[in-house]
């Protein structure tokens, strides 16, 4: 018997709601291994930063390849304009290249630094124009078609499953769009970009306690907005 492919957006929605403050099961060995892999990747990224600071241009190119999709998805989610998102993403890495010698290890992933630069560019853009921040739906995906939040499926879904995934992704993002701006950004950074509380706090210029409280309120509100089928 062929089992239906898991719905990636339902998985993401469930992941968000499970982080609402209820006790979680102890991390499994697999989760520990994933954490170890993430730490190794973070260390490797900072080694690339160090090499770039020493003048290795190829090292910065590898940083670009590693984080350009993360930055682009964040910007696209905030602005809702594909062309503008591409421009802001390009400007982000140009600024990062100019400032590469000024960044130093602070215990967080290098990606948080790139996202901080992108966020500042977005804020400058909003202050200097009447452009309204929007939330896009179907465009917010991995370049290879994988859904937001790095939640994937084991097998290629058929046309029907893909249509369902697009519809549920749109519904989830519609609910996220109804959150207040701070709550929305917290959800995007924590769950769709996978940043830690500390990294999110650094980007949003708040302390970790404030981010935890903001996340709690955002998740509670999202739980009220989500249709029963996505909870």
């Amino acid at each position: 018997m062929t089992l239906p492919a898991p719905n990636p957006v339902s998985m993401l929605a469930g992941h968000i709601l499970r982080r609402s403050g209820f006790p979680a099961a102890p991390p499994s060995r697999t989760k520990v291994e994933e954490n170890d892999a993430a730490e190794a990747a973070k260390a490797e990224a900072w080694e690339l930063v160090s090499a770039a600071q020493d003048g290795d241009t190829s090292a910065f190119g590898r940083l670009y390849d590693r984080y350009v999709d993360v930055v682009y998805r964040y910007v696209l989610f905030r602005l809702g304009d594909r062309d503008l998102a591409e421009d802001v993403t390009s400007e982000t890495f140009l600024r990062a290249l100019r400032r590469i010698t000024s960044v130093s290890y602070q215990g967080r992933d290098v990606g948080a630094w790139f996202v901080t630069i992108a966020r500042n560019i977005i804020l400058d853009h909003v202050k200097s124009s009447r452009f309204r921040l929007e939330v896009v739906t179907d465009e917010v995906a991995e370049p290879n078609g994988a859904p937001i939040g790095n939640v994937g499926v084991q097998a290629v879904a058929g046309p029907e499953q893909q249509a369902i995934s697009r519809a549920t992704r749109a519904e989830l993002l519609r609910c996220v769009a109804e959150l207040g701006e701070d709550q929305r950004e917290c959800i995007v950074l924590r769950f769709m970009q996978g940043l830690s509380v500390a990294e999110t706090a650094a980007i949003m210029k708040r302390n970790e306690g404030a981010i935890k409280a903001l996340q709690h309120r955002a998740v509670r509100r999202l739980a009220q907005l989500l249709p029963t089928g996505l909870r």
Side-chain angles (χ1 to χ4, degrees), residues 47-63 97 100:
E47 289 176 359
L48 290 174
V49 170
S50 179
Q53 290 173 335
D54 291 336
D56 185 346
T57 56
S58 66
F60 189 85
R62 291 170 64 187
L63 286 169
L97 180 59
I100 191 67

Side-chain angles (χ1 to χ4, degrees), residues 23-29 31-32:
S28 65
R29 174 178 167 80
K31 185 64 175 178
V32 171

Side-chain angles (χ1 to χ4, degrees), residues 121-141:
I121 294 173
I122 291 170
L123 293 177
D124 289 343
H125 175 77
V126 172
K127 290 177 182 177
S128 62
S129 71
R130 295 182 179 180
F131 192 90
R132 182 173 66 88
L133 293 181
E134 297 176 348
V135 175
V136 293
T137 55
D138 201 45
E139 289 184 339
V140 183

Side-chain angles (χ1 to χ4, degrees), residues 111-205:
W113 180 60
F114 288 118
V115 172
T116 298
I117 296 174
R119 183 177 189 264
N120 290 336
I121 294 173
I122 291 170
L123 293 177
D124 289 343
H125 175 77
V126 172
K127 290 177 182 177
S128 62
S129 71
R130 295 182 179 180
F131 192 90
R132 182 173 66 88
L133 293 181
E134 297 176 348
V135 175
V136 293
T137 55
D138 201 45
E139 289 184 339
V140 183
E142 299 280 2
N144 62 1
I148 55 178
N150 297 323
V151 179
V153 295
Q154 297 299 319
V156 177
E160 296 85 358
Q161 183 62 37
Q162 291 177 4
I164 293 172
S165 295
R166 284 195 297 270
T168 50
R169 180 167 65 240
E171 181 63 22
L172 173 61
L173 294 176
R174 183 193 65 77
C175 293
V176 172
E178 293 186 24
L179 300 173
E181 183 175 342
D182 285 346
Q183 291 183 354
R184 183 169 66 241
E185 184 168 22
C186 182
I187 289 292
V188 170
L189 292 172
R190 288 285 289 119
F191 300 109
M192 296 180 179
Q193 298 295 84
L195 299 183
S196 67
V197 171
E199 291 165 343
T200 301
I203 290 172
M204 297 188 70
K205 296 180 172 60

